[in-house]
Amino acid sequence: MKKMFLSAVFAAAALTANAQQKVEQLDSIMIDTKVNIPRKNSGKVVTTIDEETILRNQGKSVAQLINEVSGIEINGSRSNDGQNLGYYVRGGRNRQVLIVIDGVPVNDPSQISNDYDLRLVPTETIERIEIMKGASSVLYGANAGTAVISITTLPASKEKISAVITSSVGTNRSAEDDDLGTDYRLEEFNNAIAVSGTLGKWFYNANFSNRYVDGLSAVAAPKDENGEVVEAFEADAFNQFEGRVNLGYNFSENVKMSQFFSFGKLKSDFDNFNYTDAANRNITDQLRTGGQFIWKYKKGVYVFNDNFTWIEREIESDFPVKYDTKSYHLDNYLTYEFTDSFTALLGLGHNNSSFTSFSVPFGETAFVKDLEDSVAEFTMFDPYVNLTYISEKGFQATAGARLNIHSEYGSHLVYNVNPSYNFGFGKNNLKVLASYSTAYITPSLFQLNDPLYGNLELQPEENTTIEGGLEFTTESNIRLSALYFTRDEKNFVDFVTIDPDNFISQYQNIDEQFTASGVEVEVAAPIAKRFMFTGNYTNTQADEKFALRIPEHKANASISYNVADKNFITVNYQFTGERTDSFFNNETFETEEVTLQSFGTLNLTASKQLLPNMKVFINVSNILNEEYEEIYRFQTLGRNVRVGFNLKF
């Protein structure tokens, strides 16, 4: 019966879609050019998760929201909340995805991939998320190889004082909890409050949020030959909170400045990687501060954004380690409109990253410093230029270049060309687009400086992406897009065994070149007056070396029904195809590959405007209680229920 139902869903959809994530048809867009241009003049297919969509998905993490976008697989987003996240975009890995918050890139210098943990960003503080796929280093710098995920936090209210309170509770069960007879206990708690306003020329925004989840083990409990659970493992809790204050001043209608300060803490329990229960814990403390200055003049705008991040991370396990990291980013640029058709952008990016690491030597109990931040440090300066041309006859193009000047490996040039053309059919429009873009991925501080495996001779990895596609939009707000991409990767930094007899290994650039390609299809179409269908399908042909945990086929389908003004019901289905994974066999002492079976989850979300200032919502995820694996032998979420409210004053 379940198979028949799923077949009916796919037959009706024809294209798969993402219910909880909304692909907006914005009047203007900036992420792909940093210039405010009409969406139809953009040479990219950009996905926006707007504030309304986020409100409809209260209680979901940022990773869960992004995981519903075409071309993206956030591995670990359906598992225990403490599970490390894998950002798999277009056959790539974490180090090729750049996270940007309020216009500034963020990273964690102590991570091997130099990536930033999305679990540190609470959903309740976000106004919108914009996602642009493809090589984007010209505008955004290092690590923008497969995608840029740009997060914009909530703005200040125009009222003198305004407050928003959001709260939800829910269950946190695995699919096998039904077999064990486990009750539906409340084990997920989300609470957030935001206060903001505008007093004359001053504006302010302060918020605090907390997410606590328990009840689910990181590693799946062992089973016998009949599939029965032999031993129930202890639950691994997750606790995260963040506070943020932003204060700004409007000097005039065209000039404003703001400064923010935020603090946060994350505690997540996890088990051993040999699939045994353990009392391990990751404790991460974060402090961030930075600001923004915007000056709009007659022919353009000047923007200055900066961000300083301090992260202290401690791993409590049989092999305890501790890291103290510092990272400063700035991005400032100015635009000038020479004519109505031609705009130039000139910018300068900068990043300084460093970290100190500590470990406990064998047989001892106290931490010992094993790497100084004066050694594990690099600095980058990145001048860049980008040109935008929009003709009245339908042709538009952007082109740009960026020079990365790195303190460790010298300089590296990247560039992009992105033409597109609009064909008008009455009030309908067909856009043909193409792009050729390059990106660089800097070796991480760990890869450069680790006492055992580091290599100061490393050069940056290089990515080249070629895209071609179509986007068709109609007067009735139907949008259909299809995009083909191919991505080449060279100068890959790999972990190479130099002397197997003496167990000597080192990070090195290797000569092999790797290729990934695929197709991404998206559709959004209103059906009748109150129904909306949205969808996407992704086919990814990842290189064999990087194919672990990446599905060849992934799809989403959803139908939303607006019951009345501000009241809706949405049903969505997500399909994830077969993937390969690897594990270390403790009996043969060899790494083996295993196939993870395809799976699908059916979800329902409903929201009702109960009072003029109060909205209530309910979410039922994995309604059919599908059993599946994201990571071999690690636990995943079964059927769960979440209810909550959003209250505005």
Side-chain angles (χ1 to χ4, degrees):
M1 183 66 183
K2 182 164 68 173
K3 296 295 184 184
M4 292 177 61
F5 174 79
L6 301 185
S7 298
V9 170
F10 277 93
L15 294 166
T16 54
N18 180 355
Q20 308 292 12
Q21 165 264 332
K22 175 182 175 183
V23 180
E24 281 196 349
Q25 302 216 29
L26 300 175
D27 293 330
S28 62
I29 198 165
M30 288 188 65
I31 187 175
D32 64 332
T33 60
K34 292 186 178 178
V35 176
N36 197 6
I37 61 175
R39 180 183 177 93
K40 75 172 187 177
N41 296 133
S42 167
K44 294 283 188 177
V45 176
V46 176
T47 300
T48 298
I49 304 173
D50 68 343
E51 186 177 6
E52 179 185 351
T53 303
I54 294 171
L55 287 174
R56 290 182 178 187
N57 290 274
Q58 293 292 336
K60 278 191 175 183
S61 67
V62 176
Q64 288 171 332
L65 288 171
I66 296 174
N67 191 46
E68 298 171 347
V69 174
S70 66
I72 297 180
E73 167 67 16
I74 306 293
N75 187 263
S77 61
R78 313 172 190 87
S79 302
N80 173 280
D81 273 51
Q83 179 63 51
N84 291 331
L85 300 175
Y87 310 150
Y88 302 152
V89 182
R90 292 186 170 181
R93 288 293 189 269
N94 289 41
R95 58 188 174 191
Q96 295 156 327
V97 175
L98 182 66
I99 310 299
V100 175
I101 300 178
D102 289 332
V104 187
V106 289
N107 68 303
D108 183 347
S110 70
Q111 298 277 16
I112 295 178
S113 296
N114 196 38
D115 56 324
Y116 186 77
D117 191 345
L118 282 172
R119 296 176 301 175
L120 293 169
V121 186
T123 310
E124 291 80 9
T125 64
I126 297 174
E127 179 191 25
R128 69 182 184 276
I129 304 170
E130 295 175 295
I131 300 164
M132 178 174 63
K133 286 160 284 185
S136 307
S137 283
V138 166
L139 283 178
Y140 292 96
N143 299 77
T146 60
V148 174
I149 299 173
S150 179
I151 297 171
T152 302
T153 57
L154 288 166
S157 170
K158 299 299 182 182
E159 304 292 330
K160 290 184 178 180
I161 184 169
S162 174
V164 179
I165 299 174
T166 304
S167 182
S168 68
V169 296
T171 61
N172 190 50
R173 311 170 77 249
S174 67
E176 62 191 21
D177 280 345
D178 274 1
D179 300 331
L180 296 173
T182 307
D183 296 332
Y184 279 82
R185 296 188 295 266
L186 296 180
E187 292 172 316
E188 177 193 296
F189 304 88
N190 295 278
N191 295 285
I193 182 170
V195 179
S196 66
T198 301
L199 299 171
K201 293 188 175 183
W202 291 94
F203 59 91
Y204 64 93
N205 194 331
N207 55 64
F208 179 84
S209 64
N210 173 246
R211 176 178 174 86
Y212 178 81
V213 185
D214 202 357
L216 196 68
S217 170
V219 170
K223 298 180 180 180
D224 59 23
E225 61 275 8
N226 298 318
E228 299 294 330
V229 174
V230 176
E231 175 188 4
F233 282 175
E234 290 183 349
D236 294 305
F238 176 89
N239 192 11
Q240 181 255 352
F241 68 83
E242 191 207 50
R244 187 177 189 274
V245 177
N246 184 57
L247 181 64
Y249 186 79
N250 292 305
F251 292 92
S252 67
E253 185 178 344
N254 296 321
V255 181
K256 70 175 182 178
M257 183 173 66
S258 62
Q259 187 76 19
F260 79 89
F261 174 80
S262 72
F263 60 92
K265 193 179 190 71
L266 179 154
K267 293 182 180 180
S268 59
D269 298 340
F270 64 97
D271 294 324
N272 288 327
F273 294 104
N274 63 356
Y275 315 116
T276 56
D277 201 10
N280 301 330
R281 175 172 287 188
N282 166 28
I283 304 173
T284 301
D285 289 280
Q286 175 184 243
L287 293 176
R288 293 177 55 237
T289 186
Q292 181 181 74
F293 176 80
I294 298 178
W295 171 34
K296 297 179 182 178
Y297 46 91
K298 185 176 181 180
K299 290 289 186 176
V301 62
Y302 171 70
V303 177
F304 179 94
N305 292 312
D306 75 338
N307 176 79
F308 176 80
T309 303
W310 170 77
I311 296 176
E312 185 179 81
R313 185 159 53 92
E314 182 175 350
I315 307 297
E316 297 178 352
S317 68
D318 292 336
F319 304 95
V321 291
K322 186 166 64 174
Y323 302 97
D324 189 343
T325 79
K326 299 180 181 67
S327 178
Y328 176 75
H329 283 269
L330 74 81
D331 181 36
N332 72 125
Y333 61 89
L334 60 87
T335 67
Y336 190 83
E337 186 179 311
F338 287 93
T339 69
D340 291 340
S341 301
F342 180 68
T343 302
L345 179 148
L346 182 66
L348 175 68
H350 168 64
N351 171 227
N352 176 259
S353 295
S354 64
F355 80 91
T356 304
S357 66
F358 307 81
S359 62
V360 178
F362 182 76
E364 299 185 19
T365 57
F367 278 105
V368 174
K369 186 182 297 184
D370 51 23
L371 189 60
E372 292 273 3
D373 58 3
S374 59
V375 175
E377 179 182 23
F378 67 62
T379 300
M380 295 187 294
F381 287 95
D382 293 47
Y384 63 98
V385 61
N386 199 59
L387 309 176
T388 302
Y389 175 77
I390 302 173
S391 75
E392 295 180 355
K393 297 183 179 180
F395 175 75
Q396 51 268 333
T398 62
R402 187 183 195 108
L403 180 64
N404 170 240
I405 304 170
H406 196 283
S407 61
E408 298 301 321
Y409 59 70
S411 60
H412 186 77
L413 181 70
V414 291
Y415 55 92
N416 79 280
V417 180
N418 181 200
S420 60
Y421 196 91
N422 286 307
F423 296 91
F425 301 95
K427 294 185 178 181
N428 303 326
N429 187 75
L430 174 65
K431 179 169 64 178
V432 181
L433 59 92
S435 70
Y436 181 93
S437 51
T438 62
Y440 64 97
I441 295 90
T442 59
S444 69
L445 283 170
F446 187 92
Q447 293 168 333
L448 287 166
N449 298 284
D450 182 73
L452 293 177
Y453 310 118
N455 180 4
L456 289 173
E457 301 300 318
L458 291 174
Q459 294 295 304
E461 297 178 15
E462 299 178 21
N463 274 208
T464 300
T465 299
I466 300 174
E467 294 177 317
L470 306 170
E471 183 177 73
F472 181 69
T473 56
T474 72
E475 182 184 7
S476 56
N477 291 325
I478 296 174
R479 186 178 74 83
L480 175 65
S481 65
L483 182 76
Y484 170 80
F485 72 87
T486 179
R487 184 177 64 85
D488 292 326
E489 185 173 343
K490 62 182 182 179
N491 227 19
F492 180 73
V493 177
D494 204 359
F495 190 66
V496 179
T497 300
I498 301 173
D499 185 352
D501 295 332
N502 294 303
F503 303 100
I504 298 176
S505 300
Q506 186 185 48
Y507 287 101
Q508 294 184 354
N509 294 107
I510 60 176
D511 295 331
E512 295 178 72
Q513 182 167 314
F514 307 101
T515 300
S517 61
V519 175
E520 299 166 0
V521 179
E522 295 182 356
V523 61
I527 304 172
K529 185 177 180 180
R530 295 185 178 273
F531 287 91
M532 181 70 182
F533 173 78
T534 60
N536 61 61
Y537 166 77
T538 304
N539 177 273
T540 304
Q541 301 294 324
D543 193 283
E544 184 177 353
K545 185 177 180 66
F546 307 108
L548 293 180
R549 301 178 187 172
I550 298 177
E552 181 178 349
H553 303 282
K554 186 175 178 182
N556 300 271
S558 76
I559 294 180
S560 293
Y561 173 58
N562 290 321
V563 181
D565 185 36
K566 298 182 180 180
N567 301 323
F568 75 91
I569 298 174
T570 299
V571 177
N572 83 295
Y573 180 78
Q574 183 179 82
F575 171 82
T576 303
E578 285 187 354
R579 296 130 291 132
T580 58
D581 201 355
S582 63
F583 68 99
F584 183 76
N585 192 318
N586 292 315
E587 296 180 357
T588 63
F589 298 100
E590 294 181 353
T591 299
E592 300 179 10
E593 286 194 356
V594 63
T595 298
L596 304 181
Q597 298 301 310
S598 61
F599 66 92
T601 56
L602 181 69
N603 313 288
L604 180 144
T605 302
S607 175
K608 180 176 177 57
Q609 193 74 35
L610 195 63
L611 299 171
N613 65 335
M614 183 179 182
K615 178 181 291 186
V616 294
F617 54 86
I618 181 170
N619 172 267
V620 184
S621 59
N622 195 2
I623 295 173
L624 302 178
N625 206 39
E626 179 90 354
E627 290 192 41
Y628 58 93
E629 288 180 304
E630 280 193 300
I631 303 170
Y632 179 64
R633 289 194 60 182
F634 278 73
Q635 192 61 273
T636 53
L637 293 166
R639 182 190 301 113
N640 284 284
V641 180
R642 180 189 300 118
V643 295
F645 67 88
N646 180 269
L647 187 61
K648 295 184 178 181
F649 297 95

